[in-house]
């Protein structure tokens, strides 16, 4: 079995480097490619000898020896062919893996801003599918250097040795067929492009008809749309016919042109046999070689096309093939005490000019739970996100006296744990989703989030697979797994954005109790719009619509802020139902 | 077979309609098969009549005949390919047309239980698979069978003994071929699952990128990716093995067969009793025998795979349809005057097949130009209610009538003159700004479109665009979220229908846009019966009646003032919302 090393390469944006990387495989390809394609000429030669042995009436034993030699030779040639084919495919296989790895690495190290751009995701997914096309082209190119280049040269040379005049005369038409194929390429491309464009137009029309089916039906537009669809299908049909005929039906024509020289072969070759200068066997050998060459030539058009396609793909993936990136994992943080100071913080998303939060100041220390709340669109989630330092901000966010933007990305990730609105579960086991690859005991954190009873009901325990995006778990279970992941490292600062919306109130209270008890060395920031548990936390930051904020204890706000008191009382009354 | 086999019918129909093309195809196929058998015969003749007896007679003629036959093969092959393409495309078109006709009649429930992408892929990929099943699969198989028969017959004519040997060899070669193809397919299927995993890992990483970054788990995710890539590499390696080893084995088999023929026809043995030309021709024919057998196996495999596509298309075609409409009904007869629009729900219930009841025993009687708002939590069937009102869904029990006429009986083409429907999310259709409003309805003229745009206050903006109302529209440009909702209103009112249905149109909008939309709607409220859905109570229009839905039933209904008095849920939520909290 092959060594399975999938590792990054340097200068991945130069296509030649992929051949350089696989030195051993490429050497095998060259060795077996040369050996196979040169020795291939032995097949027709021996086939001719076999015929001559019948003509000559050789003894049965000598015919037998010849047959055995022939079969053995073919066996050897085909054995080399097997290796050539296999190594070329292995080259494609590992190149594809390397390219994918490099693109993945590129994606994962793009900045949050770049990734927020919705289109990026789509483009990258498409880039990955381009890898297949590109590698396919690279493989065909490598193959054809030997199977067309070397092979045709070997045939041509041996035909020359048999008879130079016949060879020149008969091969005259082969380049004509190849030139024609090359010339027609652009016309074929035009037609097949028109067909592909129309075809994707039809696909988008079909999508429109289905996606908006109810809209069209409610407006009685379906009959008219069908009429239009019919016209477009008619057009697609004629374009498809033109493109397909040009693309697939021309090959027999190229073949006939390339084969025109066979007249000279039969006539002049036949005459040579009659005059005793060639044997029947040589005649047969020569015809086989000539036919093989003509067929190769008539297929050249397909080769041109596939190489061209792969160049287009390569251009598309090239921007994603950048040097391999690694995160700097040097760590310089104070693990013993935690102090968060936010001063006149302003924040806006890169795409939007207006500040989402303005002029916020507050402070928190280890062992505290700070609640953040506010009306709809008051910017409470944005505040939570800005404390992560993933986006640029104005004002000051200091952790232990050092500005947040002066910490490295890795240091920030080790100081702060964040849980956003969506649980962001991976399609893996519960254990892996919580630990993310770090061997750790998860019992205590599971009981902190009240998942221990859920877990005991699962036959596979922590090895239970959660499904795509956690689909096999209930919403409340997903939320608690994600919470467990956030709590696992006991980071200095734990930011939880509305973690209890899918959890019932009793569990919510239980979890808050556990947080207070077991996370005395951490600062917990709890963003919520349900205030019923806020009487149990230390301090509350109340954001207003006009971008002002109040920062006080729960009791203080109950006295000071009419709106806070009103909402707290109303929510306690409405209960679990929040009208959403 | 299925009771209503669309695919089979379409193929037969297209062939009947294009009988001359079919005949041409048969002619071309026979031509290719027969003509392909001639070159070895000519070579045999050359060897036996010219080369061995050393006779130059007619050698040039034979050489020219040889290339002429090749030319004919080329021409027949060309015709065959071309005609097959034409026929395949005609079948594709026939099936797609039938499918889009079906789409018009299909029960509206279909769209709630099937994703658009899946349905589109039936129209596009499955139909394409059926096309290639017909052209490459069935017809290809016929051609290959004929080729094999032709080759065996030719060899049989040289020597029945050799023909017999070939005949015995046939199943042997076929079995080897199938063995490889099946193993290869198995490896490929295994590989496809892994490719799915590899690709899924990327979309999963992108979806969870915030989490990955905030925990600095890039390298963990990358290592997982490498793990999947490695598994994928291993299965591809297996596919590659079969792929690499198969052609060499076939070539080796061929060499053994040739050796066998030579030994049998050597002077000493002369078992076959054939001339040298025949030996050469037999070797040639034998070599040609392998490729049709190989493709036969591939074709069989392709057919097996495409069968599932046929099933999907046929299943789609057999989906339940809407009942027939009463085409006599015209909008003017149903609603003769705007002052007389009476909508009534008669103890109406609705449930999806075998599902729980969505709406139960709804009875309501609305007056002309009444403004009604339906409120309740999401998932209580408010949007379903609108589809029922427009007669797009059939009630499981009871009925909904307008002026005594069952809405389900009204033909779809009349509905636009009765209802104006503004959806929760504006659906962009393919086309220009004007198309968004007219939906390319030819009976709607430009002035009407401009009037509607003017009404919602978008005309100035649209005129300022580069191509005015002919500007192409897509998801990002040139309209903002709020403007799209205004377009939706313009689309609904362009035919000036007496009834407006508004489905949560101010959800997901900022308060300024919301105010603007509400003001446009207030302007439209004169002369219209308006039914709206809202889950936020504060943003709704001034309503005469509020209907609170809970668990599919009407929990309470009445004027806003009355509900404020006697409904706790309503009062609490109105208060919370006024503080913009929920």
């Amino acid at each position: 079995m092959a060594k399975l090393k999938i590792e990054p390469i340097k200068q991945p944006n130069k296509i030649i480097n992929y051949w350089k990387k696989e030195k051993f495989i490429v050497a095998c390809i060259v060795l077996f490619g040369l050996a196979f394609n040169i020795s291939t000429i032995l097949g027709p030669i021996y086939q001719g000898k076999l015929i001559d042995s019948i003509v000559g009436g050789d003894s049965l034993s000598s015919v037998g020896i010849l047959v055995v030699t022939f079969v053995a030779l073919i066996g050897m040639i085909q054995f080399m062919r097997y290796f050539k084919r296999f190594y070329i495919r292995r080259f494609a296989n590992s190149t594809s893996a390397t390219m994918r790895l490099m693109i993945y690495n590129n994606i994962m190290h793009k900045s949050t801003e770049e990734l927020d751009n919705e289109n990026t995701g789509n483009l990258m997914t498409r880039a990955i599918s381009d890898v297949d096309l590109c590698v396919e082209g690279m493989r065909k190119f490598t193959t054809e250097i030997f199977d067309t280049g070397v092979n045709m040269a070997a045939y041509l040379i041996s035909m020359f040795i048999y008879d130079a005049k016949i060879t020149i005369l008969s091969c005259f038409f082969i380049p004509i067929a190849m030139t024609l194929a090359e010339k027609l390429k652009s016309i074929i491309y035009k037609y097949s492009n028109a067909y592909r464009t129309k075809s994707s137009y039809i696909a988008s029309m079909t999508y429109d008809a289905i996606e908006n089916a109810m809209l069209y039906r409610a407006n009685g537009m379906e009959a008219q749309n069908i009429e239009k669809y019919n016209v477009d299908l008619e057009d697609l049909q004629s374009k498809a016919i033109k493109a397909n005929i040009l693309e697939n039906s021309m090959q027999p024509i190229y073949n006939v042109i390339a084969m025109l020289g066979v007249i000279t072969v039969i006539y002049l070759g036949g005459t040579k046999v009659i005059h005793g200068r060639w044997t029947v066997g040589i005649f047969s050998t020569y015809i086989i070689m000539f036919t093989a060459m003509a067929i190769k030539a008539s297929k050249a058009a397909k080769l041109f096309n596939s190489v061209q396609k792969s160049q287009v793909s390569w251009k598309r993936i090239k921007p994603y093939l950048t040097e391999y990136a690694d995160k700097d994992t040097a760590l310089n943080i104070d693990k013993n005490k935690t102090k968060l100071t936010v001063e006149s913080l302003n924040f806006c998303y890169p795409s939007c000019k207006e500040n989402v939060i303005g002029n916020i100041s507050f402070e928190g220390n280890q062992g505290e739970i700070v609640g953040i709340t506010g009306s709809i669109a008051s910017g409470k989630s944005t505040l939570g996100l800005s404390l992560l330092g993933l986006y640029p901000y104005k004002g000051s966010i200091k952790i232990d006296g050092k500005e947040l933007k002066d910490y490295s990305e890795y240091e920030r990730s080790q100081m702060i744990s964040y849980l956003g609105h969506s649980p962001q579960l991976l399609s893996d086991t519960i254990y892996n989703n919580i630990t993310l690859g770090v061997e750790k005991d998860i019992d205590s954190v599971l009981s902190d989030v009240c998942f221990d009873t859920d877990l005991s009901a699962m036959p596979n325990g922590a090895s239970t697979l959660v499904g795509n995006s956690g689909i096999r778990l209930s919403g409340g279970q997903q939320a608690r797994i994600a919470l467990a992941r956030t709590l696992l490292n006991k980071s200095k600062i734990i930011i939880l954005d509305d973690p209890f919306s899918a959890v019932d109130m009793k569990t919510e209270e239980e979890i808050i109790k556990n947080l207070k008890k077991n996370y005395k060395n951490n600062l917990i920031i709890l963003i919520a719009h349900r205030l019923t548990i806020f009487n149990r936390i230390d301090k509350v930051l109340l954001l207003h619509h006009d971008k002002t904020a109040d920062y006080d204890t729960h009791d203080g706000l109950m006295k000071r802020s009419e709106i806070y008191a009103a909402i707290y009382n109303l929510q306690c009354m409405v209960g679990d139902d929040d009208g959403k | 077979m299925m009771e209503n086999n669309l695919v089979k019918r379409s193929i037969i129909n297209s062939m009947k309609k294009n009988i001359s093309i079919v005949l041409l195809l048969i002619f071309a196929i026979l031509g290719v098969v027969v003509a392909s058998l001639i070159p070895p015969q000519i070579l045999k003749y050359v060897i036996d009549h010219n080369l061995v007896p050393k006779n130059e007679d007619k050698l040039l003629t034979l050489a020219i005949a040889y290339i002429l036959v090749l030319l004919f093969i080329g021409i027949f092959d060309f015709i065959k390919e071309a005609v097959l393409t034409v026929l395949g495309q005609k079948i594709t078109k026939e099936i797609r047309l039938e499918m889009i006709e079906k789409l018009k009649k299909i029960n509206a429930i279909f769209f709630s239980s099937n994703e658009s992408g899946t349905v589109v892929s039936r129209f596009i990929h499955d139909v394409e698979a059926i096309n290639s099943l017909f052209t490459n699969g069935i017809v290809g198989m016929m051609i290959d069978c004929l080729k094999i028969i032709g080759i065996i017959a030719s060899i049989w004519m040289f020597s029945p003994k050799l023909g017999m040997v070939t005949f015995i060899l046939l199943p042997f070669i076929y079995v080897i071929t199938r063995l490889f193809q099946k193993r290869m397919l198995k490896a490929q299927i295994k590989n496809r699952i892994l490719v799915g995993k590899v690709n899924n890992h990327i979309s999963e990483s992108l979806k969870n990128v915030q989490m990955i970054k905030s925990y600095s788990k890039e390298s963990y995710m990358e290592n997982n990716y490498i793990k999947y890539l490695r598994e994928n590499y291993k299965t591809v390696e297996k596919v590659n093995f079969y792929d690499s080893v198969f052609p060499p084995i076939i070539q080796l088999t061929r060499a053994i067969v040739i050796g066998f023929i030579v030994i049998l026809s050597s002077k000493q043995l002369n078992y076959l009793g054939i001339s040298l030309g025949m030996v050469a021709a037999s070797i040639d024919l034998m070599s040609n025998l392998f490729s049709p057998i190989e493709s036969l196996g591939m074709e069989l495999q392709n057919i097996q795979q495409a069968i599932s596509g046929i099933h999907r298309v046929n299943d789609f075609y057999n989906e339940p349809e809407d009942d027939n409409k009463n085409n006599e009904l015209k909008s003017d007869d149903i609603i003769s005057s705007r002052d007389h629009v009476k909508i009534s729900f008669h103890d109406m219930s609705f449930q999806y097949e075998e599902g729980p009841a969505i709406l139960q025993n709804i009875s309501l009687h609305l007056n002309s130009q009444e403004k009604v708002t339906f409120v309740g939590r999401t998932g209580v069937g408010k949007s379903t209610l609108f589809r029922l009102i427009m007669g797009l869904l059939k009630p499981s029990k009871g009925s909904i009538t307008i002026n005594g006429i069952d809405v389900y009986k009204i033909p779809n083409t009349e509905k636009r003159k009765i209802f104006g429907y503004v959806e929760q999310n504006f659906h962009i259709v393919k086309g220009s700004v004007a198309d968004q409003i007219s939906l390319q309805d030819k009976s709607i003229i430009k002035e009407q479109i401009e009037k509607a745009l003017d009404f919602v206050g978008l005309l100035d903006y649209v005129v300022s665009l580069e191509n005015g109302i002919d500007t192409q529209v897509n998801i990002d440009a040139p309209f903002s979220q709020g403007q799209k909702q205004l377009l939706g209103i313009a689309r609904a009112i362009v035919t000036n229908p007496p009834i407006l249905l508004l489905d949560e149109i101010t959800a997901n909008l900022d308060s300024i846009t919301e105010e603007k939309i509400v003001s446009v709607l207030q302007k439209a409220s004169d002369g219209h019966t308006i039914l709206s859905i809202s889950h936020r109570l504060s943003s709704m229009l001034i309503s005469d009646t509020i209907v609170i839905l809970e668990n599919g039933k009407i929990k309470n209904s009445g004027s806003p003032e009355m509900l404020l008095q006697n409904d706790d849920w309503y009062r609490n939520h109105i208060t919370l919302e006024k503080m913009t909290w929920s």
Side-chain angles (χ1 to χ4, degrees), chain A residues 4 55 58 89-90 104-105 110 211-212 217 224 234 324 327 375-376 385 413 424 427 567, chain B residues 56 93 103 106 116 204-205 210-211 213 216 218 222 233 237 243 268 276 427 440 580-582:
Chain A
L4 296 175
V55 180
D58 296 2
R89 279 161 179 75
R90 176 176 280 179
Y104 186 83
N105 180 269
K110 274 196 185 317
E211 176 73 14
N212 300 322
R217 189 172 290 185
Q224 198 183 309
E234 191 76 39
Y324 186 81
K327 227 174 193 177
S375 62
I376 282 181
L385 212 52
S413 74
Q424 304 222 319
S427 54
I567 286 160
Chain B
E56 275 185 64
K93 193 190 145 203
L103 194 71
I106 209 161
S116 306
E204 195 175 77
S205 304
Q210 190 193 52
M211 182 275 287
K213 282 195 164 287
S216 280
E218 289 93 342
E222 193 175 290
Y233 182 95
E237 195 92 324
D243 201 16
Q268 276 78 11
L276 185 64
H427 277 90
Q440 301 189 339
T580 66
W581 207 267
S582 270

Side-chain angles (χ1 to χ4, degrees), chain A residues 300-311:
Chain A
K302 284 224 158 131
L303 172 68
F304 295 141
N305 283 337
S306 89
V307 170
Q308 198 176 31
K309 267 184 212 161
S310 90
Q311 279 172 338

Side-chain angles (χ1 to χ4, degrees), chain A residues 376-511:
Chain A
I376 282 181
S378 60
K380 34 183 204 295
S381 292
T382 308
L383 177 58
L385 212 52
S386 65
L387 293 178
L388 278 176
L390 290 176
Y391 296 97
Y393 58 87
K394 282 181 228 129
S396 159
I397 303 172
K398 277 186 181 151
I399 296 175
D400 305 329
K402 185 173 163 185
E403 195 58 43
L404 184 62
K405 53 184 142 195
D406 296 335
Y407 286 102
S408 73
E409 203 177 305
Y410 182 73
E411 285 171 336
R412 288 198 293 259
S413 74
Q414 298 307 301
M415 290 190 296
I416 309 165
S417 283
Y418 172 79
L419 172 60
H421 286 283
S422 80
Q424 304 222 319
L425 297 186
L426 308 169
S427 54
D428 205 333
T429 60
I430 290 179
Y431 179 82
N432 283 344
N433 260 298
I434 293 175
T435 59
L436 296 175
V438 183
E439 288 289 317
K440 238 180 187 173
D441 181 51
I442 58 169
D443 290 345
S444 70
V445 77
L446 279 178
S447 73
D448 285 342
V449 299
C450 305
F451 201 84
D452 36 0
T453 42
D454 297 68
L455 197 71
S456 58
M458 296 176 180
N460 292 330
S463 308
T464 306
L465 290 165
V466 303
N468 232 339
S469 308
I471 194 125
R472 292 190 202 162
L473 304 178
S474 76
Q477 287 176 328
Q478 291 176 23
R480 281 177 290 149
I481 298 276
L483 182 59
R485 168 202 287 160
T486 316
L487 298 177
L488 182 72
N489 279 337
K490 297 209 166 186
S491 303
K492 289 156 68 75
I493 301 174
I494 299 170
I495 303 172
L496 309 173
D497 189 354
D498 215 358
F500 302 123
S501 58
V503 178
D504 64 79
M505 286 174 88
K506 233 183 90 197
T507 315
E508 179 180 351
E509 279 183 39
E510 192 72 25
I511 295 173

